[in-house]
Amino acid sequence: MKNCYLNPAELGPDRWLGMLGVLTRQPIDRPLMLVSFGTATTVDTIDDHETFLGGLIFPGVSMMQTSLGAGTARLPIAPMPGQMWPPFPQGTQAAIATGIVAAQTGAIMRQWQQVAEHLGQAPLVFVTGGARAAILPELQARIDAFSVDMGFGTIPIIECESPVLDGLRAVAQHSPDA
Ligand SMILES: Nc1ncnc2c1ncn2[C@@H]1O[C@H](COP(=O)(O)OP(=O)(O)O)[C@@H](O)[C@H]1O
Ligand SMILES: CC(C)(COP(=O)(O)O)[C@@H](O)C(=O)NCCC(=O)O
């Protein structure tokens, strides 16, 4: 895989290995995105020539929850109930939880749209990380809406339990001493 980072050494090895892990399970005939809902959320894109184009880093779900709780006078650390997210939340906890889901999903969808527009193909989305469950239903609904709108049909998100370990295994198997 080619790395388009201006300084490749700056890229987190977890992100690089995660992308290699995804490539072990998917033939690269279309763009791929790997979204990792960890401490930070990362959104990385590989084009259909096995080139890592670049990606996003922003605070993860838990970091958003705790930073609102710690950085404001009156906001609680709101739980993420995993229900439908209302368009007009009418209470503090719902406003925070829905705001976090909207922030996470909105950033990912912006990237999804950029990839679709720049490359003319609908990216396949892989997700990993401990905090993914709260975001997945909303993300799937948004991808389906955008994708159908752009004439690509629905695209199921693929969950990956351990892409970093899959990538590490692939590197170990291809090393000269393996
Ligand atoms: N079962 C879970 N339910 C909800 N959130 C979880 C769960 N497990 C982990 N998390 C959250 O996921 C994040 C860590 O995810 P992880 O994939 O371990 O990331 P990292 O690679 O940063 O260690 C933390 O913010 C944590 O709060
Ligand atoms: C962005 C990360 C903090 C994500 O780590 P995570 O939250 O998954 O533990 C990590 O990949 C990192 O420190 N990266 C270095 C900077 C970069 O990738 O550009």
Side-chain angles (χ1 to χ4, degrees):
M1 185 168 56
K2 183 182 165 196
N3 184 353
C4 285
Y5 244 42
L6 298 178
N7 173 8
E10 221 175 67
L11 181 70
D14 54 332
R15 295 171 66 193
W16 182 250
L17 289 169
M19 288 185 278
L20 290 179
V22 163
L23 290 178
T24 62
R25 49 185 288 174
Q26 179 66 31
I28 187 87
D29 53 2
R30 62 193 293 181
L32 308 178
M33 287 170 61
L34 174 60
V35 183
S36 174
F37 293 101
T39 310
T41 300
T42 55
V43 184
D44 292 322
T45 301
I46 311 165
D47 74 6
D48 57 348
H49 294 89
E50 293 198 21
T51 299
F52 164 54
L53 299 179
L56 308 180
I57 303 172
F58 47 97
V61 173
S62 175
M63 193 180 285
M64 285 189 173
Q65 288 171 293
T66 52
S67 65
L68 281 176
T72 64
R74 293 186 51 205
L75 294 185
I77 296 180
M80 305 290 290
Q83 295 154 2
M84 293 298 289
W85 306 105
F88 305 105
Q90 288 161 339
T92 304
Q93 294 212 346
I96 295 171
T98 307
I100 292 172
V101 169
Q104 298 279 328
T105 309
I108 297 162
M109 287 316 301
R110 178 183 183 276
Q111 205 69 356
W112 192 95
Q113 237 183 322
Q114 308 253 16
V115 178
E117 284 170 10
H118 281 265
L119 302 180
Q121 286 177 292
L124 199 53
V125 178
F126 292 80
V127 295
T128 190
R132 68 185 185 269
I135 313 296
L136 269 189
E138 176 74 7
L139 183 61
Q140 182 67 72
R142 297 285 160 184
I143 288 176
D144 285 346
F146 270 74
S147 184
V148 167
D149 208 39
M150 294 174 87
F152 295 123
T154 59
I155 300 171
I157 291 171
I158 302 167
E159 287 189 69
C160 284
E161 206 48 58
S162 53
V164 174
L165 293 181
D166 297 341
L168 201 53
R169 190 180 307 111
V171 169
Q173 282 167 351
H174 285 91
S175 73
D177 299 331

